[in-house]
Amino acid sequence: MPHLPDVVLWSVPAFVLLTVVEMVSFRLHPDEDAEGYEAKDAATSVGMGLGSLVFDALWKIPIVAIYAAVYELTPLRIPVLWWTLPLMLLAQDFFYYWSHRGHHVIRVLWACHVVHHSSKKFNLTTALRQPWTTWTVWPFYVPMIALGAHPAAIAFTSGANLVYQFWVHTERIGKLPRPVEFLFNTPSHHRVHHASQGGYLDRNFGGILIIWDRVFGSFVAETERPVYGLTKNIATFNPLRVATHEYAAIARDIRVAGSWSARAGHLFRGPGWRPAAPQGEAAGAAKGEAAGAAQGEARPAVEEPVT
């Protein structure tokens, strides 16, 4: 087995130092337009990150067993050498793009990934707001194992990808030189990814490189200032609720669904999908909406109380 370093563990001191620097920068040079820091929000993000380390260690047991089985079955072998590692990192970034995109467009996968988008702030602690149910990620990297990449190499390249993405979670860095913005995921590109505006939704999925988004049509440049968070914010700092709220919402929707196709839709269609209403109900709803609009009816959005 190749002996590769745990790049995430080695990067922890840098994570702490850069976060402190960013916090101090907001104190010394405030930006009224930036979201900045909030103590409860930052504490929740750090808590989610620490919790993810515990749960990832549990999920790693069956995942490593599956990867090892696939690796033993394939006759292919990719040696871990100085020139093959960059190629495997490139391949991992490609599969990360599809994993990330899949976790936005399939609701049961979104239930895992939504954790990372649940903060209305955008700072370096947001990078630490990681899910506790990452068992949904492993299938996307099976092709690399089948092609002969050692599971340890997958762990190393995945860790390197995660470490790279830490620094892009900031509002303190504007747009970088054009060649960098063209090739790489940058803070500007990732701010778009975390925004909740309609034109920014489900865009810029790249990990290290942004070229996958350019090739596969999911790239949008940053223009208007992003509004961070979810289209329907959960307004809670409770780590357990942050980790599980979308799973609970899926369970509620499945419980009241009127058919098996609707139940499957709540699991495998997009996060905003809803079954079509019967024709009579749809007509009545449209009539009611038209009447409300004619009367100038306005209904403010209601958020859940902060807990």
Side-chain angles (χ1 to χ4, degrees):
M1 185 178 79
H3 296 286
L4 296 167
D6 185 338
V7 290
V8 175
L9 183 63
W10 279 95
S11 301
V12 168
F15 292 168
V16 174
L17 176 62
L18 290 172
T19 300
V20 171
V21 169
E22 187 183 47
M23 287 180 175
V24 171
S25 77
F26 274 109
R27 283 294 187 93
L28 298 179
H29 299 285
D31 181 351
E32 293 182 359
D33 294 325
E35 289 298 327
Y37 278 82
E38 180 184 358
K40 287 184 178 180
D41 177 85
T44 299
S45 294
V46 173
M48 296 305 298
L50 294 173
S52 74
L53 296 177
V54 176
F55 285 98
D56 282 354
L58 297 176
W59 305 133
K60 189 178 293 184
I61 297 170
I63 292 170
V64 168
I66 294 170
Y67 280 178
V70 174
Y71 186 74
E72 289 302 317
L73 289 172
T74 181
L76 304 175
R77 290 293 183 268
I78 300 175
V80 178
L81 303 170
W82 68 267
W83 62 272
T84 59
L85 268 179
L87 294 176
M88 285 191 278
L89 185 59
L90 180 66
Q92 191 277 337
D93 196 55
F94 172 78
F95 286 111
Y96 172 85
Y97 169 85
W98 289 108
S99 171
H100 196 180
R101 188 165 181 168
H103 277 73
H104 273 255
V105 300
I106 300 173
R107 191 179 179 193
V108 70
L109 302 185
W110 172 244
C112 165
H113 186 61
V114 67
V115 168
H116 186 59
H117 287 263
S118 60
S119 174
K120 291 188 284 186
K121 304 292 182 181
F122 189 77
N123 52 57
L124 292 177
T125 64
T126 309
L128 307 177
R129 187 176 284 231
Q130 295 295 318
W132 295 355
T133 55
T134 50
W135 48 267
T136 60
V137 173
W138 69 267
F140 290 90
Y141 301 107
V142 169
M144 287 188 68
I145 304 290
L147 289 171
H150 195 281
I154 304 298
F156 173 80
T157 55
S158 297
N161 198 312
L162 186 65
V163 168
Y164 176 89
Q165 290 186 61
F166 177 78
W167 77 280
V168 301
H169 291 81
T170 184
E171 292 186 280
R172 303 304 275 178
I173 298 175
K175 290 195 175 184
L176 298 173
R178 186 173 297 179
V180 178
E181 294 285 342
F182 183 82
L183 288 173
F184 295 98
N185 187 19
T186 65
S188 176
H189 298 328
H190 208 59
R191 286 192 289 268
V192 168
H193 179 70
H194 273 259
S196 59
Q197 292 106 308
Y200 283 169
L201 287 177
D202 298 334
R203 300 291 179 174
N204 298 1
F205 300 108
I208 296 175
L209 300 175
I210 203 68
I211 56 173
W212 313 122
D213 290 280
R214 296 185 186 277
V215 170
F216 297 111
S218 54
F219 174 75
V220 167
E222 182 182 31
T223 52
E224 63 178 305
R225 194 169 193 90
V227 176
Y228 305 109
L230 306 172
T231 55
K232 183 181 179 183
N233 287 302
I234 56 173
T236 180
F237 299 114
N238 183 323
L240 185 60
R241 286 192 62 200
V242 172
T244 62
H245 73 272
E246 185 63 13
Y247 291 107
I250 291 174
R252 288 194 298 268
D253 287 340
I254 289 176
R255 188 170 61 247
V256 300
S259 66
W260 283 106
S261 63
R263 294 183 183 100
H266 286 307
L267 279 173
F268 301 115
R269 290 181 178 263
W273 180 84
R274 290 292 179 270
Q279 191 171 1
E281 291 182 17
K287 186 176 180 180
E289 288 177 6
Q295 296 171 14
E297 182 178 358
R299 295 178 181 175
V302 178
E303 287 190 344
E304 299 178 27
V306 175
T307 57

